[in-house]
Amino acid sequence: MVDSLALEKALTGIEPEATLIDLTVDGKKSRALIREIQRHPIRPDIIHVDFYEIKADEKITLKVPVHLVGTPDGVRNAGGVLDQVTREVEIEVLPEHIPIARARRDRLKIGDSLHTRDLSIPNAVILTGADLTIATVVPPRAEEVAAPAAETATESPSPS
């Protein structure tokens, strides 16, 4: 049994699926990853957590979040809009090297895209396809100004 308040506090500010947790079960210590968190449908209470025990010398496959760093040139200087299409990638890594993927985006101009092949994740093999788009800078949308409707006021003949 896990104290739900302690667990909630421990999960604050981390990526649960990519963070190693030290567990003690029946006096035996082990390292684990969180596989799934089930929450109450109305309240934010945690109902159930699935843990996955890992071994230090075995590679694991998991999804890690991609955090974009910097302001794209196309956003800063040309008014473009950054669109992050993919928020996580699947990797294979030893547990001690679980990273958070970070990608520099400051050189992106309007029309440029960042792909999985552009990521550099040390000590890990990226399993997600190399051509998957992570983010792109799109031109700003021009707001369409509706042309004023031509006034076609027709006067009806007055009854005599």
Side-chain angles (χ1 to χ4, degrees), residues 1-158:
M1 183 93 165
V2 176
D3 178 16
S4 63
L5 290 177
L7 181 61
E8 195 70 54
K9 185 177 179 181
L11 295 176
T12 303
I14 65 166
E15 301 291 340
E17 298 84 12
T19 302
L20 288 175
I21 296 175
D22 293 320
L23 291 178
T24 303
V25 180
D26 296 331
K28 180 185 166 201
K29 291 185 178 185
S30 61
R31 302 202 81 188
L33 287 171
I34 295 176
R35 280 292 182 198
E36 181 182 7
I37 300 174
Q38 294 176 2
R39 296 186 181 271
H40 189 278
I42 298 172
R43 297 185 313 267
D45 302 345
I46 295 174
I47 297 173
H48 179 80
V49 179
D50 282 336
F51 293 100
Y52 175 69
E53 185 178 10
I54 52 111
K55 302 203 182 328
D57 59 343
E58 291 180 11
K59 287 188 175 185
I60 56 173
T61 300
L62 72 154
K63 291 184 179 183
V64 293
V66 176
H67 293 282
L68 300 177
V69 179
T71 302
D73 183 54
V75 171
R76 187 178 339 104
N77 298 322
V81 177
L82 178 69
D83 183 17
Q84 185 172 356
V85 181
T86 303
R87 300 202 177 274
E88 61 186 17
V89 292
E90 189 170 35
I91 63 168
E92 183 179 66
V93 65
L94 285 171
E96 67 189 47
H97 296 295
I98 296 174
I100 293 177
R102 298 192 190 285
R104 299 279 325 164
R105 62 183 180 184
D106 48 0
R107 291 186 216 113
L108 295 177
K109 297 182 183 346
I110 290 182
D112 289 350
S113 295
L114 181 69
H115 297 89
T116 306
R117 67 177 164 269
D118 302 320
L119 296 176
S120 175
I121 304 175
N123 303 313
V125 175
I126 300 173
L127 302 176
T128 302
D131 293 329
L132 181 68
T133 301
I134 301 293
T136 186
V137 177
V138 295
R141 285 193 202 187
E143 288 189 29
E144 293 182 26
V145 178
E151 292 187 30
T152 56
T154 56
E155 291 186 29
S156 57
S158 55

